[in-house]
Structures are given as structure tokens and as C-alpha cells.
Amino acid sequence: QVQPVESGGGLVQAGGSLRLSCSASGRTITSYTIGWFRQAPGKEREFVAAIRWYDDSPYYGEVVKGRFTISRDNAKSTVNLQMNSLKPEDTAVYYCALSSDAYHMGRASLYGYWGQGTQVTVSS
């Protein structure tokens, strides 16, 4: 059973930055997309960003576009999420997930492998 592992969460002031990382074994599984989702208390799971493994094509949710950047590190087999200009509404548990779909990158139902999540808290 393949399980992504997230790291890098923490507490940050509004306007600050954090970098999340997700370990992913791209060569050993049939994944084509690595995505980040988040879930805040009392809210539904929300798409944040995703990257297509074979060509590094990124895709972003509207709420984070222009503030977050997703990238891939081949040497470390990781995907990073650079989060800038953080807002209190960004507070959530952030999950990394793997999908075998290369087109519907923002659709959570197509992601089959999920990590345990890492907490991001943005204070005002």
C-alpha cells in the first residue's frame, strides 16, 4: 500500500510563508498526478494544487492561485508546495495525494493514495 508522507506544516503569521513537502515514489506506482488538498474544521475538502508527474504541468485552485507554487524534486522524489502571503483562511490540514489520472487534476475522487496530513495554522 503506497502512502505519501507530508512534512513542513506549522504556525505562521498572516502574510508569512511555509513550504510543504510530500514524498512520492513516482517510479514504483502508476501515478500521473501529485496533488495537495486541504480541509479546515467544519469545511469540505478543498483542492489546492497539483502537478502532472511526467511533464511538471501545474494546476491551482482559485483560492491559492498567485500565492502558492507547486514543484517537483526528482533527486529527492518529492513534491513541494511553496505557500506565500498566507491568510488565516489558509488554516487547515494539508494532504498530499497521488492519482493515476493525468487530466482531471483537481478532482479529489480520482486520487487513490492519501497521506496523513500536516497542520498549517495561520494566525492574524
Side-chain angles (χ1 to χ4, degrees):
Q1 194 73 47
V2 178
Q3 183 178 48
V5 179
E6 307 94 337
S7 63
L11 175 64
V12 65
Q13 298 272 0
S17 299
L18 283 174
R19 180 183 289 266
L20 306 183
S21 295
C22 172
S23 64
S25 300
R27 289 186 177 184
T28 60
I29 61 175
T30 57
S31 61
Y32 297 100
T33 303
I34 300 86
W36 286 96
F37 294 79
R38 68 187 186 187
Q39 189 163 20
K43 293 194 173 185
E44 296 294 320
R45 180 175 52 189
E46 181 180 40
F47 172 71
V48 177
I51 187 167
R52 195 157 59 195
W53 196 253
Y54 69 89
D55 66 355
D56 292 339
S57 295
Y59 185 66
Y60 297 98
E62 290 296 325
V63 295
V64 304
K65 189 175 296 183
R67 299 188 296 122
F68 292 8
T69 303
I70 190 169
S71 62
R72 180 168 62 93
D73 185 334
N74 289 331
K76 297 181 179 180
S77 299
T78 59
V79 169
N80 301 312
L81 182 69
Q82 178 66 44
M83 307 187 296
N84 298 324
S85 302
L86 284 163
K87 306 174 181 179
E89 50 263 45
D90 294 319
T91 296
V93 177
Y94 284 70
Y95 298 92
C96 180
L98 311 181
S99 173
S100 61
D101 187 89
Y103 300 98
H104 306 287
M105 300 171 71
R107 191 178 297 274
S109 63
L110 297 180
Y111 289 78
Y113 302 96
W114 295 79
Q116 293 294 309
T118 185
Q119 177 70 47
V120 171
T121 302
V122 184
S123 64
S124 59

